[in-house]
Amino acid sequence: MTKVSKFPMRAKAAPPLDTPTDLSTKAVTQMTQALNALLADTYALHFKTKNFHWHVSGRHFRDYHLMLDEQSDAIFATTDQLAERVRKLGGTTVRSIGQIGKLQTIKDNNESYVPPREMLRELMEDNKHVAAAMRKAHKLCDDHEDSGTASLLEVFIDETERRTWFLFEASRQEGGNEA
Ligand SMILES: [Fe+2]
């Protein structure tokens, strides 16, 4: 009987899931780990952005509520592409919220009230964190000549930086030069 590991980061998938690839086993292992970590953070960031969309309050309610909805949708749209990239490489990806919780490096925010500006600043920092992780993963792609993942990440880095820009501008204090 084939032993199937329960460990989600396992590089070698169970035989029926072992998608053929010309990439080395080391490349598949490292890309799988990097992409699954990014995927977990992407889910965590999607949920936190949605959480703030639901719980934002104050005089900028409509603007912030709508911007956070747009951002959470855009973040969610990348999850399927990240997960399927792992499967194209022959790795396996996350299977549950429980696994995401173990892999995520973004901190959840379960506070009962967060002031609106703090929400935007926290999300700005989280998006910067994700962009940095994507850049690291991109470097790994170069090392392994994984141009398929690299081109995907280039688009996602740009989208993440766009979110950071919007969050930065929206969270600036009105009438002042202070960032
Ligand atoms: Fe909504």
Side-chain angles (χ1 to χ4, degrees), residues 50 53-54 65 69:
K50 206 70 168 171
H53 159 76
W54 291 324
H65 181 69
D69 206 26

Side-chain angles (χ1 to χ4, degrees), residues 9 49 71 83 100 103 111 121 128 161 169-170:
M9 305 301 285
T49 306
Q71 293 200 352
I100 290 167
L103 293 177
E111 292 298 323
R121 284 290 156 138
K128 278 167 65 183
E161 288 170 336
E169 286 297 344

Side-chain angles (χ1 to χ4, degrees), residues 33-104:
Q33 284 180 351
L35 285 168
N36 280 337
L38 280 178
L39 181 58
D41 273 341
T42 303
Y43 273 115
L45 183 58
H46 158 70
F47 209 103
K48 191 193 278 188
T49 306
K50 206 70 168 171
N51 162 22
F52 289 170
H53 159 76
W54 291 324
H55 297 108
V56 72
S57 67
R59 66 196 177 97
H60 297 295
F61 171 78
R62 185 176 163 77
D63 278 353
Y64 294 171
H65 181 69
L66 295 179
M67 179 178 73
L68 296 178
D69 206 26
E70 266 174 31
Q71 293 200 352
S72 66
D73 284 351
I75 295 165
F76 185 72
T78 67
T79 56
D80 191 52
Q81 294 182 77
L82 286 168
E84 292 193 355
R85 191 66 214 148
V86 176
R87 293 294 300 121
K88 288 172 193 169
L89 296 173
T92 57
T93 190
V94 296
R95 292 184 161 91
S96 65
I97 295 288
Q99 286 182 344
I100 290 167
K102 284 183 191 141
L103 293 177
Q104 72 182 74

Side-chain angles (χ1 to χ4, degrees), residues 103-169:
L103 293 177
Q104 72 182 74
T105 61
I106 282 182
K107 271 201 207 135
D108 291 337
N109 186 331
N110 297 319
E111 292 298 323
S112 53
Y113 174 74
V114 183
R117 190 167 183 266
E118 282 180 27
M119 286 182 171
L120 302 187
R121 284 290 156 138
E122 186 170 328
L123 291 175
M124 183 183 86
E125 291 303 324
D126 289 340
N127 275 280
K128 278 167 65 183
H129 175 85
V130 168
M134 285 181 179
R135 265 186 259 282
K136 264 194 186 163
H138 191 279
K139 190 164 181 315
L140 207 55
C141 297
D142 291 344
D143 296 345
H144 296 304
E145 299 183 344
D146 179 3
S147 47
T149 304
S151 61
L152 198 65
L153 289 177
E154 280 160 23
V155 174
F156 291 172
I157 288 168
D158 177 64
E159 289 177 2
T160 306
E161 288 170 336
R162 184 175 193 272
R163 282 191 290 276
T164 303
W165 172 38
F166 272 57
L167 290 161
F168 167 68
E169 286 297 344

